[in-house]
Amino acid sequence: MRTCRAYVSGRSSFSCRSFSPRPLPSPLPALRGTRSYRCWSGPRARVRPDLTPRFEELYRGLRPAVPSGEYQKTYLTRPLAERQEMASRTGRALELLESLAPRGGPGREEFAEVLRHATVIDQTATGYGFDFEDPQQVAEAMRWRDEVMADNVVRWHEHTGHRILLAAHNNHIGYDPEDAQVLPRTQGAVLRDRLGSGYVSVGLTFGRGSFKATDPEETRMLTHTVGPAVPGSNEHTLDQVRHDRWVLDLRTAPGPARSWLAEARPTRSVGTAYPGERNWFGMALGRRFDVLIHQDRVREAELPATS
């Protein structure tokens, strides 16, 4: 089994032969480092060295030269028209590369890898090409992001044939979004459509405890502590189970439990930053997940030291 996280990362533990991205605490896919550019440019230059100047022009200004966080923030300060023009160039680069596909024989596997990295680059630029001042465009950007994440998971599965443990926020891996006005369709919903019963959504809930999240401005990673879940919430009822940690297959739950699981109740949500504008959403657990893991109390993760 492999763990797959569906964003792009230059610090991925996978080699350049991987098509699997890793996650960022960001509203969009982003290129952390230059791995996709390195994996793309070397083989492509060997296939058609005469096209190197053309591809370099199409990718002008896109290759990250600073740490990922700085790259993302700087990218989003660019005018919308400039971001859309950059996305147009990555799209043309992808189309040009697709036109060079070998008909057969040696090199097909290497070309498929190059094409996948070019696709990831275009996914990223397209994601940054939405107008984030327009609420409708924000929703479309969020839909695009989750569809891209699902596509990357499916491609990795098709490439390796492995079973995959996908790690992501409940609002991505579940079927119903917390707020459909912000995220119309989740990654989990897309994966269910594409993989059928081969995809199982496992939700995580907790009653109280400590966890890691940034401050609301996303400038510092902090330890946050919360008390017992509010009465009437899903977590408050889940805490009443005599076990302090347990797993329930919601698909085979008995009748009374199914009825309870079908009703929407306040449910805690903790994202990258805490507190957020909202941290409680009305969710029906039975419509959102296939399996539920609940813990009465959690403790913050111990993060590795950074240099």
Side-chain angles (χ1 to χ4, degrees), residues 188-255:
V190 178
L191 288 172
R192 178 176 57 184
D193 288 348
R194 295 186 64 177
L195 301 177
S197 61
Y199 176 71
V200 177
S201 173
V202 181
L204 305 175
T205 57
F206 71 94
R208 70 184 76 185
S210 301
F211 51 85
K212 292 290 187 183
T214 70
D215 61 286
E217 290 73 33
E218 299 188 20
T219 60
R220 295 179 299 154
M221 183 63 68
L222 303 171
T223 297
H224 302 269
T225 301
V226 296
V230 297
S233 66
N234 276 319
E235 288 87 345
H236 183 266
T237 300
L238 298 176
D239 272 351
Q240 309 309 309
V241 175
R242 66 178 182 274
H243 305 291
D244 59 1
R245 62 193 71 178
W246 47 270
V247 179
L248 175 64
D249 189 332
L250 308 184
R251 299 165 297 181
T252 59

Side-chain angles (χ1 to χ4, degrees), residues 62 107 175 190 228 271 282 291:
L62 281 153
Y175 301 129
V190 178
V291 176

